[in-house]
């Protein structure tokens, strides 16, 4: 299967060709664990999960690495503000390590609930300080750094291709178009590799280094850890679009300056989730967590379905009406599949009928053309509603599709609520009537049960009852 992806580097659709034939190195910028992830952050992780699952579906082994930022990410991405971890620690009276551990667990709990496959390697920045120092030493030896005001800076004027990913204009950069708030910088775009006792003397997290006791800048962690786990050149790097102009631009500069090689071949970025036309952000105070949705009665997979309804490169506006629509559609799907499962087992994918294969192929075409999840979902519904296709074929194809969609459709069960004694007695009476071949009585009892919201199905395994629940 051929996967096409839109590469931010070059701004074009490209056929995906990994460095090694069947292996894919995938690095995704992970959470800064100073607070809960909001559903905007989670949209990005759902998109990255769709990418990983699609690559696996297409037959690749994916070595998926994600960092956990537990030091160095300041409240501003361009070295302004305070370390987010330290700020959270100060505000709550807990240690940065306690904060990190608590929110890392919360993050994994969220992604598990969204059926996002966990990365093969999740690496915490504080556990890789030695790798970061090693990288900075390499950059220093090659003349890409300078020390100013006690910090070690990356000199962007020494790296010719600086800003290529973000299409930054070098002339404008030199003239200071990007707001430079740090007088120690030679060029406005320069960034900190290592903070020593400069502006944050009370920083709790500090490590010894050749430049004095201090802590790493945020960007350096992703370069050092991705190269440790995926090598000096690998296939795909992902993140939200906000990372293009600063974080990813700086990651490229320091990685390629250190290795002298092209670092990443495909840069794939997810668009933002908006809340009332505004970016959802913790700083804007307009954010929702997954737990808030759960507390309001939604299933995390309703949110996953909602995310799949928008293409990852388009902005998606969140509101509860749209989430309700996603929930209704997902429940409809689950109920249909649950009913189908009572009728038949799925056809193994290799034995699907030509018609089922054709519909599955339509789904693949949607998906493999730059992860078009809305199109893929539409094809799934096309299959569900197909008049000519048998139940076993439908199930076989839909379970195959769900390897990528991750909606846990194979676990679909009709929502059932235990029958009361009186209801169970009626079901038994109907079974007796059937055994006595008293069809009129059996039908009468079925109608009576239906009236009470209980649907009856006679299967090879016996009577199946489904009691409708109010949702
Ligand atoms: P952070 O935890 O702030 O480092 O962000 C984690 C991920 O979420 C990054 O890839 C961001 O680009 C992404 N992100 C942040 N805000 C949003 C949003 N409103 N919608 C989608 N992704 C976002
Ligand atoms: Zn990163």
């Amino acid at each position: 299967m051929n996967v096409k992806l839109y590469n931010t580097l070059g701004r074009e659709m490209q056929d995906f060709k990994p460095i090694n034939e069947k292996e894919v190195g995938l690095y995704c910028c992970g959470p800064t664990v100073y607070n809960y992830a909001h559903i905007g952050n989670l949209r990005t992780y759902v998109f990255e999960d769709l990418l990983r699952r699609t690559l696996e579906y297409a037959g690749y082994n994916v070595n998926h690495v994600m960092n956990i930022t537990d030091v160095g990410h300041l409240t501003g991405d361009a070295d302004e503000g305070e370390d987010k971890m330290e700020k959270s620690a100060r505000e709550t009276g807990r240690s940065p390590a306690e904060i990190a551990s608590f929110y890392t667990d919360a993050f994994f709990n969220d992604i598990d609930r969204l059926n996002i496959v966990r990365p093969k390697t999740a690496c915490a920045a504080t556990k890789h300080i030695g790798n970061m120092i090693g990288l900075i030493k390499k950059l220093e030896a090659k003349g890409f750094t300078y020390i100013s005001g006690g910090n070690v800076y990356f000199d962007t004027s020494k790296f010719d291709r600086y800003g290529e990913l973000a299409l930054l204009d070098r002339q404008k950069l030199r003239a200071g178009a990007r707001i430079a708030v740090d007088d120690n910088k030679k060029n406005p775009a320069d960034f900190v590799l290592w903070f020593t006792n400069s502006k944050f003397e009370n920083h709790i997290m500090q490590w010894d280094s050749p430049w004095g006791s201090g802590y790493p800048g945020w960007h350096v962690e992703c370069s050092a850890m991705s190269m440790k786990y995926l090598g000096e050149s690998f296939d795909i790097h992902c993140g939200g679009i906000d990372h293009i102009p600063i974080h990813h631009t700086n990651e490229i500069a320091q990685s390629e300056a250190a290795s002298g090689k092209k670092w990443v071949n495909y840069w794939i970025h997810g668009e933002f989730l908006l809340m009332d036309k505004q970016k959802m952000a913790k700083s804007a105070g307009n954010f929702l967590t997954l737990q808030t949705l759960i507390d309001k009665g939604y299933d995390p997979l309703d949110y996953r379905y909602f995310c799949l309804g928008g293409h990852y490169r388009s902005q998606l506006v969140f509101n509860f009406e749209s989430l309700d629509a996603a929930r209704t559609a997902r429940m409809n799907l689950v109920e249909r599949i649950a009913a189908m499962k009572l009728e038949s087992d799925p056809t193994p994918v290799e034995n699907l009928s030509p018609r089922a294969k054709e519909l599955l192929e339509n789904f693949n075409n949607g998906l493999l053309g730059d992860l078009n999840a809305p199109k893929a979902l539409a094809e799934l519904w096309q299959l569900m509603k197909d008049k000519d296709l048998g139940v076993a074929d439908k199930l076989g194809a839909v379970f195959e599709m769900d390897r990528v969609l991750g909606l846990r459709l194979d676990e679909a069960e009709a929502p059932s609520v235990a029958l009361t004694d009186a209801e169970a007695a009626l079901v038994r009476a109907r079974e007796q009537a059937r055994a006595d071949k008293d069809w009129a009585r059996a039908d009468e009892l079925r109608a009576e049960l239906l009236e009470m919201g209980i649907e009856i199905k006679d299967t090879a395994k016996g009577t199946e009852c489904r009691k409708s629940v109010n949702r």
Side-chain angles (χ1 to χ4, degrees):
M1 289 188 208
N2 253 346
V3 182
K4 275 188 189 297
L5 293 172
Y6 183 85
N7 196 344
T8 307
L9 189 64
R11 304 287 190 284
E12 61 176 7
M13 198 72 83
Q14 295 174 348
D15 285 327
F16 174 66
K17 290 202 184 66
I19 296 168
N20 299 312
E21 212 185 331
K22 283 282 154 210
E23 304 288 321
V24 177
L26 169 67
Y27 185 87
C28 301
C29 288
T32 307
V33 283
Y34 70 107
N35 201 337
Y36 293 104
H38 59 60
I39 58 171
N41 302 134
L42 294 171
R43 179 191 184 196
T44 294
Y45 300 113
V46 169
F47 132 66
E48 290 164 350
D49 186 55
L50 180 72
L51 171 63
R52 170 181 172 169
R53 285 172 179 264
T54 300
L55 292 166
E56 288 176 342
Y57 183 74
Y60 297 108
N61 280 324
V62 182
N63 191 1
H64 177 191
V65 178
M66 175 186 276
N67 63 308
I68 302 290
T69 301
D70 51 0
V71 67
H73 194 172
L74 306 192
T75 48
D77 283 356
D79 301 334
E80 5 37 295
E82 188 181 354
D83 185 302
K84 292 183 181 186
M85 300 298 303
E86 300 252 338
K87 183 166 183 274
S88 183
R90 187 168 46 68
E91 286 168 357
T92 59
R94 292 190 281 171
S95 72
E98 279 167 346
I99 303 269
S101 152
F102 179 84
Y103 289 113
T104 302
D105 290 349
F107 172 74
F108 281 114
N109 185 27
D110 278 350
I111 67 167
D112 289 347
R113 294 189 289 189
L114 285 165
N115 202 20
I116 290 172
V117 184
R118 287 190 181 205
K120 294 202 172 139
T121 304
C123 36
T126 50
K127 304 270 182 321
H128 295 79
I129 302 293
N131 302 89
M132 299 183 215
I133 291 175
L135 182 70
I136 301 169
K137 276 163 105 175
K138 238 185 197 176
L139 290 170
E140 189 174 44
K142 290 190 171 190
F144 284 101
T145 66
Y146 60 91
I147 294 176
S148 176
N151 297 329
V152 183
Y153 287 87
F154 184 92
D155 186 344
T156 54
S157 69
K158 298 262 171 68
F159 185 70
D160 275 352
R161 296 187 304 284
Y162 187 79
E164 206 174 67
L165 177 78
L167 309 175
L168 299 181
D169 182 329
R170 289 187 64 81
Q171 296 305 320
K172 284 201 189 134
L173 274 180
R174 287 225 177 81
R178 197 195 269 172
I179 338 99
V181 282
D182 182 345
D183 292 340
N184 297 321
K185 293 183 183 183
K186 285 193 198 164
N187 311 289
D190 293 353
F191 54 93
V192 177
L193 295 165
W194 188 264
F195 290 99
T196 56
N197 294 330
S198 56
K199 52 180 179 177
F200 306 117
E201 278 159 26
N202 302 324
H203 211 270
I204 304 164
M205 292 181 283
Q206 300 215 15
W207 292 266
D208 285 336
S209 84
W211 314 281
S213 176
Y215 61 99
W218 170 41
H219 318 297
V220 76
E221 69 171 273
C222 287
S223 295
M225 295 196 281
S226 65
M227 290 203 264
K228 170 173 169 144
Y229 294 105
L230 297 170
E232 285 181 338
S233 297
F234 60 92
D235 301 296
I236 309 180
H237 194 312
C238 292
I241 45 150
D242 53 327
H243 286 342
I244 299 171
I246 301 180
H247 184 49
H248 290 167
T249 288
N250 293 349
E251 284 184 26
I252 293 175
Q254 66 203 357
S255 304
E256 299 195 351
S259 73
K261 295 178 191 159
K262 183 166 183 192
W263 181 42
V264 169
N265 289 335
Y266 300 87
W267 285 88
I268 318 292
H269 289 99
E271 249 294 355
F272 264 68
L273 181 79
L274 306 185
M275 186 81 170
D276 307 326
K277 305 219 166 68
Q278 257 185 26
K279 165 184 161 181
M280 180 173 291
K282 287 165 204 163
S283 51
N286 64 350
F287 75 92
L288 291 169
T289 62
L290 187 64
Q291 189 58 49
T292 316
L293 303 189
I294 294 169
D295 292 344
K296 285 181 186 286
Y298 294 94
D299 186 303
L301 294 179
D302 296 334
Y303 183 64
R304 184 174 175 105
Y305 193 101
F306 167 81
C307 289
L308 294 175
H311 189 270
Y312 78 95
R313 283 197 292 120
S314 303
Q315 292 184 335
L316 186 60
V317 177
F318 180 84
N319 55 52
F320 282 98
E321 291 73 47
S322 308
L323 186 61
D324 283 340
R327 171 167 64 175
T328 305
R330 191 185 71 81
M331 289 310 298
N332 187 348
L333 186 59
V334 166
E335 285 182 17
R336 282 170 186 244
I337 289 172
M340 281 158 54
K341 276 168 67 181
L342 295 178
E343 269 182 59
S344 166
D345 287 330
T347 306
V349 70
E350 57 283 4
N351 299 340
L352 288 176
S353 67
R355 174 71 184 146
K357 280 191 181 142
E358 185 188 327
L359 292 167
L360 186 58
E361 195 58 34
N362 293 347
F363 171 90
N364 293 350
N365 289 341
L367 185 76
L368 303 175
D370 198 28
L371 313 177
N372 194 339
K375 179 150 193 312
L377 268 185
E379 295 296 348
L380 177 144
W381 276 107
Q382 203 66 35
L383 173 115
M384 289 299 291
K385 294 181 175 164
D386 193 275
K387 297 254 181 326
D388 305 324
L389 213 55
V391 167
D393 258 351
K394 278 190 185 175
L395 280 178
V398 99
F399 289 164
E400 184 65 5
M401 294 171 178
D402 200 42
R403 283 176 52 204
V404 184
L405 300 175
L407 294 168
R408 293 204 168 110
L409 296 178
D410 57 340
E411 294 167 24
E413 271 182 20
S416 64
V417 173
L419 300 184
T420 64
D421 288 348
E423 290 163 346
L426 283 180
V427 173
R428 279 197 304 277
R430 183 177 167 276
E431 278 169 353
Q432 190 55 52
R434 276 168 57 81
D436 298 344
K437 299 203 174 9
D438 184 352
W439 308 119
R441 176 74 187 136
D443 283 352
E444 222 175 77
L445 286 165
R446 176 199 284 272
E448 203 175 318
L449 283 159
L450 200 59
E451 193 73 358
M452 297 159 76
I454 298 158
E455 241 181 282
I456 297 283
K457 249 196 188 101
D458 299 307
T459 73
K461 295 173 201 153
T463 312
E464 305 265 3
C465 303
R466 224 178 94 199
K467 189 170 168 180
S468 49
V469 282
N470 288 331
R471 277 187 297 280

